[in-house]
Amino acid sequence: MAEQRKRKQVVTIDDVAKAAGVSPMTVSRVMNGFSGVKDTTREAVMKAVEELGYSPNIAARSLARHGSGRVGLLYSNPSAGYLSQFLVGALDGAQAAGALLLIEKCAPDPESEKAAIGKLVAGGAGGVILPSPHAESYSAQSELKAAGVAAVAVSTGRLRSDASAVRIDDFAAAAEMTRHLLELGHRRIGFIKGAPNQTASAERLLGFETEIRNAEPVASGLIEQGDFTYRSGFEAGDRLLSAHQPPTAIFASNDDMAVGVLAAAHRRGLDVPGQLSIAGFDDTSIATTVWPELTTVRQPVSDMAETAVKMLIEEIGARRRKGDRDPAERMLPHALIVRDSTGPAPKGD
Amino acid sequence: MAEQRKRKQVVTIDDVAKAAGVSPMTVSRVMNGFSGVKDTTREAVMKAVEELGYSPNIAARSLARHGSGRVGLLYSNPSAGYLSQFLVGALDGAQAAGALLLIEKCAPDPESEKAAIGKLVAGGAGGVILPSPHAESYSAQSELKAAGVAAVAVSTGRLRSDASAVRIDDFAAAAEMTRHLLELGHRRIGFIKGAPNQTASAERLLGFETEIRNAEPVASGLIEQGDFTYRSGFEAGDRLLSAHQPPTAIFASNDDMAVGVLAAAHRRGLDVPGQLSIAGFDDTSIATTVWPELTTVRQPVSDMAETAVKMLIEEIGARRRKGDRDPAERMLPHALIVRDSTGPAPKGD
DNA sequence: GGCTTTGATGTTAGCGCTAACAAAAACAGC
DNA sequence: GCTGTTTTTGTTAGCGCTAACATCAAAGCC
């Protein structure tokens, strides 16, 4: 019933300019949130944009900006539950900023990282985003520095003082989860540590220990080493549960290990959460796959990726204007997700 | 020691043209595998490309191609293990074809699909890729047809005769897995069906049944309904295992359900694969997360996505040239991945 | 009032690539 | 040799957008 014909011809900046009675340049300025535009003009442009349903052509923008807004992303494990969320966020951020995302896979060893970074730089990336495992890699960061491109690490403490980072407050999150368990009445709480070489592991442990120490009559010494894998969680859980006085709750440093604990508990015929509460960390897809669904801490993975992209683009811009750079660290809010794997401590315990 | 200075200046098509002593257009033709180029010229260009490390600027290409190569992708669950592989493949395909990928999230209901498709079309997508859940959606396909954009469904049988599809041979894969179990000596094999409204479910069941019927003295009637969730697998597995003569192997239609079966088996204190073999389907990340790792069927998810992008771009091109279109169905090879959850049937059984 | 300073907008040119057409080279037939 | 065809290559123009500069108006100052 309406005008359907001009399907193919997408609205361009010139159409908007004409409709708003200004020059294309002014539209461009409005679209990019540039300051020097009068409010009345800005509104007129906005209105035209709305009416015509204009959205900038990102290819043209990237081209005109002369390769600024080309951001690299290194990833390693394409089947890790969290990569898709990460990619979605990064893509969103890139889209919003009008940048192009170059994506490169690599193994988690220095050689492979080096090669991948080389490709990214050759492809014109002005900066690179390093998600979790690579964020810990000193060699990757050095490599990037040598190539003269910016870097933003995600999900890790700052390794180097000259690189920016986006992360959550692992310490506070672990403390919150511990408090959640304490409030449910648990007094013997087991903890399974993550891989020793990752900063997040240490932070999470610290959060747990601090909270435990603040609580009063609480058993200690219920800490086992894990390495973020299901199997390590299974085994650590088994050790904890075969103690003379087994814990009534176990807090694992990530979801995979928590699911391992769940398996160990089921194997012993324990009811979860009736006899044992289990908590994880990360809220990856496995947390809602298993049954009962896992109480865990959610990282805003998409937001983190989006933020990382934006920071990177800003940094590239800043760097281009003047040799100066000002590494930032941004902390995003996490959330305690209470599902069915935690409940009140068993009676008479 | 070498020339390091011109970091920023990426090699352009003109540099290559100059180096090879031809015009930029010829280089473009070579890069795009165009036919009408003399072999000697092509080689010269190739050599220059190699030496200079040239790679085309995808933004410029997309711009010059006038928005052809703008491909939409609908996704629903960003934490589903397979989305990241899918995205990676799609991104690769888009990159290779010099296309831009527009990505839009939506819920699996018709309303939401409609809105997302609208956005994609408004964004200039000439075609849309429909991964698994949406591929089954008749309404989504109608919507796309109405908007006049091409569509490629992934991981499903062809719903409509006028849409292209990329998939694996679910029937053959299920048959292979069944044969694998039979060869291990199993004679009582349980099967857990997938959600009834998905074509893949039916195909997989058919593959299983066909192979079972071909084998000689084999128990039948060991089929339970599931819906692709962990919990449904857990419950179906429990039902199968509480039979008077429980199966010695269970083949679930996807990995999530297989992991559910694994939990049910562990709860009963059964050793896997000593007393019970378990097989899954899809090879998602959970298959290697659990222990023992799952024997399963791998779908080449990345390749499928990449293929889908390429098919779509071809179809868009074909459509633009002449109103004509020729929906294709491409079948990609799957692979039987034997891990630790399947083993020889228990003795004396 | 004539002057600079500031702010808001318009102009010009070009990012790197590829359609579409134009030209040149290679080949055929007589 | 010359025309008519078929390859192969080059030319022109422009995709949609934005730096960088140019312009014009309003404001501030002596």
Side-chain angles (χ1 to χ4, degrees), chain B residues 1-339:
Chain B
M1 272 154 194
E3 8 66 61
Q4 288 241 50
R5 64 224 100 112
K6 37 153 53 182
R7 266 256 165 269
K8 267 296 140 44
Q9 279 323 8
V10 189
V11 193
T12 77
I13 202 171
D14 293 280
D15 300 330
V16 177
K18 212 163 292 170
V22 297
S23 79
M25 198 57 232
T26 304
V27 178
S28 170
R29 282 192 262 257
V30 171
M31 292 308 290
N32 292 293
F34 219 78
S35 54
V37 181
K38 223 186 339 190
D39 282 355
T40 56
T41 317
R42 180 185 306 279
E43 273 158 34
V45 172
M46 292 292 219
K47 187 156 156 284
V49 168
E50 286 282 306
E51 272 167 11
L52 297 168
Y54 168 70
S55 85
N57 178 322
I58 80 167
R61 179 181 278 182
S62 160
L63 188 56
R65 282 189 184 162
H66 195 202
S68 136
R70 217 129 97 184
V71 175
L73 169 61
L74 221 57
Y75 75 88
S76 49
N77 182 0
S79 64
Y82 110 131
L83 179 65
S84 50
Q85 294 176 60
F86 197 92
L87 279 176
V88 167
L91 253 7
D92 271 4
Q95 180 116 34
L100 245 37
L101 204 58
L102 309 176
I103 300 185
E104 198 63 48
K105 173 172 180 163
C106 85
D109 61 275
E111 273 317 296
S112 176
E113 273 176 347
K114 197 170 165 179
I117 290 172
K119 267 191 173 177
L120 252 20
V121 172
V128 173
I129 294 180
L130 300 170
S132 186
H134 310 291
E136 307 280 343
S137 158
Y138 195 89
S139 70
Q141 297 205 11
S142 299
E143 189 67 26
L144 286 167
K145 195 178 180 189
V149 302
V152 174
V154 180
S155 281
T156 184
R158 246 196 284 179
L159 250 195
R160 309 176 49 128
S161 57
D162 57 355
S164 300
V166 179
R167 58 190 197 91
I168 63 163
D169 190 340
D170 285 286
F171 176 90
E176 260 171 58
M177 179 61 84
T178 309
R179 227 173 299 133
H180 165 69
L181 294 171
L182 287 167
E183 277 163 10
L184 286 169
H186 296 280
R187 285 300 171 268
R188 287 198 308 284
I189 304 177
F191 184 85
I192 303 178
K193 295 192 276 185
N197 55 340
Q198 293 189 224
T199 42
S201 301
E203 293 273 313
R204 290 175 193 179
L205 173 61
L206 220 59
F208 170 75
E209 283 183 321
T210 306
E211 205 60 34
I212 286 291
R213 218 170 287 125
N214 288 347
E216 252 327 292
V218 168
S220 60
L222 295 170
I223 297 179
E224 288 282 343
Q225 180 71 53
D227 63 4
F228 285 139
T229 66
Y230 172 94
R231 186 162 186 181
S232 75
F234 183 89
E235 288 166 354
D238 214 52
R239 285 196 296 277
L240 285 168
L241 293 173
S242 50
H244 174 60
Q245 280 234 314
T248 62
I250 296 181
F251 177 14
S253 297
N254 80 342
D255 288 342
D256 283 8
M257 295 198 296
V259 173
V261 175
L262 186 64
H266 278 160
R267 166 113 95 172
R268 288 170 178 262
L270 291 173
D271 179 57
V272 175
Q275 296 169 277
L276 178 71
S277 286
I278 298 177
F281 204 110
D282 285 347
D283 197 26
T284 50
S285 62
I286 201 173
T288 48
T289 300
V290 297
W291 178 79
E293 296 189 349
L294 238 44
T295 292
T296 186
V297 173
R298 174 176 299 158
Q299 298 201 46
V301 177
S302 281
D303 291 348
M304 287 165 81
E306 197 174 334
T307 305
V309 171
K310 286 181 180 162
M311 282 171 71
L312 200 45
I313 290 171
E314 260 171 48
E315 198 166 325
I316 295 171
R319 224 181 245 219
R320 203 158 282 193
R321 274 190 287 283
K322 25 177 190 157
D324 154 274
R325 62 278 210 26
D326 193 16
E329 192 178 47
R330 201 107 92 214
M331 199 106 83
L332 260 45
H334 57 266
L336 193 68
I337 308 291
V338 178
R339 297 210 182 87

